[in-house]
Amino acid sequence: MEPWTADQVEALAPDAASVTAGRKVAGAGWAATGQGDDALWGLARGSGASPYVTCVDLHEAGAPAYRCSCPSRKFPCKHALGLLLRWARGEVEPGEPPDDAQDWLTSRRGRGERIVERVQAAAVRAAKPPDERAVAAAAKRAAQRRDHVTSGLAELDRWLADQVRSGVAGLRSDPYAAFEPMAARLTDAQAPGVAAWLRGLPGLVVGGPDWPERLLEELALLRLLVRAHVRLDEIEAAEPALAASIRTHVGYPVSKESVLALPGVRDRWAVQGRRDSAVAQLSQRTVWLQGEQTGRMATVLAFAPPGQQLDASLVPGRVVAGDLHFYPAARPLRALVSSDALDGGRHGPPHAGFVGDALAAVADALAADPWTRSVPAWVVGTPVRHTSGGRDGWAVRDELGDALLLRPGGDLWGLVATAGGRPAALLLEWRPGGWAPVTAATTWQETASPATTGAGR
Amino acid sequence: MSAWDDLVACAVQGTARRVPDVARWLPELGEDAAVLGGEPPERLLDAAALLTARRRAGRLPVIGLVPAEPAPAESRPTAPEVSDLLELLDSALLPELLDGLQERGLIVAPEAITTLLAVTSTNLLAPALAACGARGPWLHAQLCEADPERWATPTRVSTGDDEPWRLGDPATRLQWLAEARRAIPDQAVDAAAAALSGRHESADFRSKVVTLLADDPRPEDEPLLQAALDDRAKVVRTAAAQALQRGRYAAYAGRMGARVRDWVRLHADSEGRRVLVVEPPVELDDAARRDLGPSAGSRSEWLTTAVAATPLRVWADLGTAQEACELLATPEWEEALREGWARRALTEDDAGWARALLGTSPAISTPARLTRVLPMTLQAAVAKSLLMQLSGVGASQAVDWLVATAAPWPPDLLDEVLAALPSILRDRSARGSQLLHRIAYAEHPGAYRELERLAPELGPAQIAPVSRAITTMRARLEIRQALDASAARVAAERADQHHRTGVPDPDPLDQPDQPDQADQPDRSDQPDPRSPA
């Protein structure tokens, strides 16, 4: 069992205080520790008379499970973190687990093995020579889904026309009630992508004074998606990548296995930024990566029910050396990390360009996929205050004098403080509502001129 | 009107009411117009989709923005080691962190500045900005521009003009007066005199002026305070009497001294021993009533108040402080007399009297604050003797004492307090949590280990305050360790640089604001006038 790095372990911590507490526990306070069979255990001296039994199951790579008899409500607790940190330093010897730990591991693995058995059974079924009846059944299910989606989207098309006929001004009085029935209908019609899109629109309607035109943009693109779906077979034949994007936007499922089966893109992928958000009662983590050799951007998404740990295997500041498998799309961005990728040490400065490069990247992405909702871009620029249209805010201005206006919110002030009024490499994200700051590169040096590292020129 | 604006207007009102002007769009949509749908709503949405893609993809850069002055070049090294601690920092520990940075000549890393400011309350904004280095005031100016209500520091009253005094609300006027007493004392006395004699000032305001004068006593205030003893409002007379009693005002102290020596006389008893005969009057004369103020109360309070207002040198004929305290006094009034002496010893910051009073009186009945006047070693000695006597009865006074002593305790006192802690905590009347609070915030944080060791001796009810104290001390220890790690790294980097270049480093203590030229590519920047000197 290859030990993790301390950075990887610390990324599991629920907060900064836990990291320091974990470091302290790692150093001292163990009556005994041991490892074996993809698990770590230890007896932690606490304030009580009997030690806490701490156990970490590393059976499933990237998603450790923890158990500790301490009363802490933090998860993982400092003992689990301390034990992992100790292991990262190579200070945990092989040995036999105590009974408590063994019982827990056995019951956990029992559950896990049942799942594995089910998966294997499914794999065996899949590997069998194609049974004509099974193939026919699968084709029938796919056709049924397609029919459901088609009828749902047809209904959406009529609904969109109704809104425009009677005027979208009426939507403002109770936007949530206005959009929810249609969104629910599309969930039933197995088009979850469109349903989620519709559920995001009330927030836009209650937003700023430019809401009518921003809403019209969204309604128009929804209508465009409906029309594209009608011609899906035709598009599939001519431009399969665009068809994949359309399927993704509508919400056809794409299995992880099918993505991992596609050829990977090998590079040293720098983990540059991370943002957690809540989307429809799920925690979502977006991690931005950039290939150190190619300058190509990628995002890796992780989801978890509220209160549960998001996958923390990608640690900002580190490099993942190996393959990324991109989800099929007209402009592939979302990806999965190959299971055999390795930690490649700390990453260097990003590939960054001018404002013009960032705008060109957005134009390219939209030309390939007009429904694109996120384009990341590194820009070397200076945060500058501006007043335009009566509203003041921040912009990023490059040394050519071109600027992008930033949306308020996010860690805008962190960006401003880090740059200190001088040029810095800034990771920005284009979204339909404008540019938002993600992070500033603290490792970026002024000596690296964008002209030599410019991406996309 | 552009095609897009027409589309938006029609969509808002509805195509049932407003028919889109198709003919006018055609040139703008070009050949793409061929794919538009049939009915007006569909045609509108299809045309909008075409224009949306163009609008989003065809955004041009904004030009003509002028960059502001960059943050001034930074001279001090950063301490990224503390960045992680900031997010979850107990705000009560922020001053310790800021002091620690300042002592070590460090500043917070730029990317942690916003986190720091987010946990900073307005009253700590100035030191927090100082801990951000040259970038702090620079960023603060920008934040103020964006959101003045959240970020503006309380404005200092300018004493240059007296408009705040003449026209301001009471709080502003008092603030101006306090500033003026530092900057322009003569004018301040005139202003205070006018306020106290003014017929239009409220009694409340007059009493606040009196209290303000007493907070920062000056001999030249005495005539004003004396006059306020005759004020028409009782609240002002009370405030004036208290101000005069707390301060060291010559004329008032002289009157009080003469009066008190009439009440407390040195006699020889039948056996030739010197004794103090104490006898406060049964009724006060007008002059005494005026000096003691309207809230003087009982005879023993008159005595205590009058003794507390009397300079200690008045008692020189009794011998040294030690001798005076050992004299026999009329038993009925002895306690009131000692209480008065103790208060005066505090006013005059007189360690000799404090020590004598603590040594000879039943120590525990003397105000705990008195220990503050003692030198540290004596405080420790007194505290230890108190701990020895702890048998449940005196625990609460002992805690008051210990809490009042100066920080930090000598190591052996800390050890003794910790040893006594379980019994103090078990005594519910003893306010052990106050003692723990004091230990947690003021003693060396490394002592948390001793607290942890106490845990098995404690009951469930006592565990909670102890574990809170442990948490606090560990957090303080983390702060110290992070600061020390930063300082050690910076020192190592300096030594390394020195080793490589052979150029001696400027002593950071001698030249704190000298830019570290090797690290600053843009030292041609003009220093920002807002940066802290």
Side-chain angles (χ1 to χ4, degrees), chain A residues 208-343:
Chain A
D210 58 345
W211 72 270
E213 60 177 343
R214 291 190 56 198
L215 180 67
L216 180 58
E217 289 184 352
E218 300 296 325
L219 298 181
L221 288 174
L222 278 164
R223 154 95 176 152
L224 185 64
L225 188 62
V226 173
R227 289 191 65 179
H229 186 260
V230 170
R231 294 174 52 217
L232 191 56
D233 292 334
E234 197 184 321
I235 296 169
E236 185 85 62
E239 286 186 65
L242 178 59
S245 284
I246 292 166
R247 287 170 173 281
T248 305
H249 293 306
V250 171
Y252 284 98
V254 181
S255 74
K256 279 192 177 187
E257 294 72 29
S258 70
V259 174
L260 288 169
L262 295 171
V265 179
R266 180 146 302 207
D267 204 331
R268 287 174 47 76
W269 295 97
V271 184
Q272 293 170 326
R274 189 161 93 173
R275 183 169 60 211
D276 292 348
S277 51
V279 179
Q281 287 147 31
L282 274 184
S283 308
Q284 177 181 335
R285 169 167 291 171
T286 309
V287 180
W288 282 270
L289 302 98
Q290 187 180 42
E292 287 201 327
Q293 281 139 33
T294 58
R296 180 169 179 177
M297 295 295 303
T299 61
V300 173
L301 305 185
F303 300 90
Q308 285 201 25
Q309 283 282 297
L310 283 155
D311 178 75
S313 51
L314 295 174
V315 181
R318 308 294 298 181
V319 167
V320 176
D323 285 354
L324 284 193
H325 298 276
F326 284 86
Y327 279 79
R331 280 297 272 207
L333 181 65
R334 186 180 170 195
L336 294 171
V337 182
S338 154
S339 56
D340 53 8
L342 301 168
D343 180 63

Side-chain angles (χ1 to χ4, degrees), chain B residues 374-459:
Chain B
L374 293 175
M376 192 61 228
T377 48
L378 277 174
Q379 291 187 22
V382 172
K384 268 199 228 172
S385 72
L386 276 172
L387 285 169
M388 307 267 272
Q389 310 169 15
L390 270 183
S391 52
V393 182
S396 105
Q397 284 93 336
V399 167
D400 289 350
W401 269 64
L402 288 164
V403 171
T405 50
W409 289 324
D412 55 337
L413 176 58
L414 179 58
D415 288 347
E416 302 232 7
V417 174
L418 290 170
L421 199 55
S423 72
I424 294 176
L425 287 172
R426 272 192 291 273
D427 179 353
R428 278 199 207 145
S429 63
R431 296 195 282 281
S433 53
Q434 276 184 22
L435 188 59
L436 271 172
H437 187 269
R438 147 72 203 251
I439 294 172
Y441 283 94
E443 295 302 326
H444 190 285
Y448 84 89
R449 293 188 197 86
E450 277 72 40
L451 285 182
E452 281 187 336
R453 233 166 270 147
L454 293 179
E457 294 179 51
L458 300 172

Side-chain angles (χ1 to χ4, degrees), chain A residues 15-16 20 161 164-165 167-169 213 217-218 220-221 223 227 363 384 394 397 403 413-414 417-418 420-422 432, chain B residues 4 11-12 14-16 35 42 45-46 49 55-57 62 65-66 70-71 84 88 111 114 135 138 142-143 478 522 525:
Chain A
D15 50 48
T20 28
V164 174
R165 187 174 295 114
V168 297
E213 60 177 343
E217 289 184 352
E218 300 296 325
L221 288 174
R223 154 95 176 152
R227 289 191 65 179
V384 179
W394 285 87
R397 178 188 186 275
W413 286 105
T418 307
R422 296 193 174 77
Chain B
W4 176 253
V12 168
T15 52
V35 301
E42 279 99 25
L45 284 169
D46 288 341
R55 277 161 55 82
R56 288 185 177 179
V62 174
L65 296 187
V66 184
D84 282 352
L88 288 155
E111 57 273 19
T114 47
R135 201 163 286 203
W138 175 86
Q142 319 249 14
L143 287 164
E478 261 175 50
D522 44 8
D525 285 344

Side-chain angles (χ1 to χ4, degrees), chain B residues 130-192:
Chain B
C132 301
R135 201 163 286 203
W138 175 86
L139 185 67
H140 183 242
Q142 319 249 14
L143 287 164
C144 283
E145 216 175 297
D147 187 356
E149 274 183 31
R150 166 71 180 84
W151 292 109
T153 38
T155 45
R156 286 177 76 82
V157 178
S158 156
T159 50
D161 77 86
D162 62 352
E163 194 182 299
W165 173 251
R166 287 184 291 114
L167 305 174
D169 58 27
T172 311
R173 299 181 69 197
L174 290 170
Q175 202 189 347
W176 182 90
L177 186 59
E179 285 294 322
R181 274 168 70 74
R182 279 187 279 279
I184 40 171
D186 292 349
Q187 217 178 313
V189 170
D190 293 346

Side-chain angles (χ1 to χ4, degrees), chain B residues 197-528:
Chain B
S197 60
R199 300 211 59 84
H200 303 295
E201 305 289 1
S202 72
D204 182 58
F205 184 73
R206 293 201 304 275
S207 78
K208 281 183 173 147
V209 169
V210 166
T211 309
L212 188 145
L213 296 180
D215 285 343
D216 176 19
R218 311 253 176 97
E220 63 266 29
D221 303 334
E222 187 166 7
L224 291 183
L225 295 172
Q226 295 277 6
L229 287 174
D230 300 320
D231 194 278
R232 60 189 181 277
K234 187 174 165 186
V235 59
V236 181
R237 294 201 300 275
T238 307
Q242 284 170 352
L244 286 161
Q245 285 151 19
R246 274 194 290 147
R248 300 166 80 167
Y249 300 100
Y252 183 81
R255 288 207 302 278
M256 275 299 193
R259 185 172 294 128
V260 161
R261 287 317 306 264
D262 199 33
W263 298 355
V264 181
R265 289 186 305 272
L266 188 61
H267 273 283
D269 69 0
S270 51
E271 294 165 36
R273 287 177 308 184
R274 303 194 314 156
V275 291
L276 283 173
V277 177
V278 186
E279 196 180 8
V282 180
E283 254 183 68
L284 293 177
D285 57 26
D286 286 348
R289 193 171 293 118
R290 173 178 182 267
D291 279 348
L292 287 170
S295 61
S298 68
R299 285 176 77 196
S300 73
E301 279 170 56
W302 299 342
L303 177 64
T304 300
T305 308
V307 173
T310 299
L312 290 168
R313 64 181 150 71
V314 167
W315 309 98
D317 61 315
L318 307 187
T320 63
Q322 187 73 27
E323 287 160 354
C325 290
E326 282 165 1
L327 287 176
L328 293 174
T330 313
E332 191 188 349
W333 306 109
E334 187 175 357
E335 203 178 311
L337 174 65
R338 288 181 191 284
E339 176 68 25
W341 278 341
R343 285 193 204 165
R344 192 66 198 181
L346 271 172
T347 304
E348 296 190 15
D349 204 12
D350 190 313
W353 272 88
R355 185 178 177 182
L357 285 161
L358 290 170
T360 55
S361 317
I364 286 175
S365 69
T366 318
R369 288 172 299 144
L370 207 50
T371 43
R372 281 248 182 230
V373 181
L374 293 175
M376 192 61 228
T377 48
L378 277 174
Q379 291 187 22
V382 172
K384 268 199 228 172
S385 72
L386 276 172
L387 285 169
M388 307 267 272
Q389 310 169 15
L390 270 183
S391 52
V393 182
S396 105
Q397 284 93 336
V399 167
D400 289 350
W401 269 64
L402 288 164
V403 171
T405 50
W409 289 324
D412 55 337
L413 176 58
L414 179 58
D415 288 347
E416 302 232 7
V417 174
L418 290 170
L421 199 55
S423 72
I424 294 176
L425 287 172
R426 272 192 291 273
D427 179 353
R428 278 199 207 145
S429 63
R431 296 195 282 281
S433 53
Q434 276 184 22
L435 188 59
L436 271 172
H437 187 269
R438 147 72 203 251
I439 294 172
Y441 283 94
E443 295 302 326
H444 190 285
Y448 84 89
R449 293 188 197 86
E450 277 72 40
L451 285 182
E452 281 187 336
R453 233 166 270 147
L454 293 179
E457 294 179 51
L458 300 172
Q462 296 123 26
I463 284 282
V466 172
S467 57
R468 271 200 302 277
I470 291 174
T471 309
T472 301
M473 294 175 89
R474 292 177 71 147
R476 288 178 54 218
L477 198 61
E478 261 175 50
I479 291 172
R480 286 194 189 192
Q481 285 167 345
L483 288 167
D484 289 342
S486 289
R489 178 184 46 73
V490 168
E493 281 167 10
R494 285 218 173 111
D496 186 45
Q497 196 174 5
H498 172 75
H499 180 71
R500 276 188 283 118
T501 60
V503 179
D505 286 314
D507 185 339
L509 292 176
D510 283 344
Q511 296 163 296
D513 292 317
Q514 201 67 35
D516 191 351
Q517 301 185 343
D519 288 336
Q520 290 301 332
D522 44 8
R523 58 186 212 255
S524 59
D525 285 344
Q526 291 302 307
D528 189 315

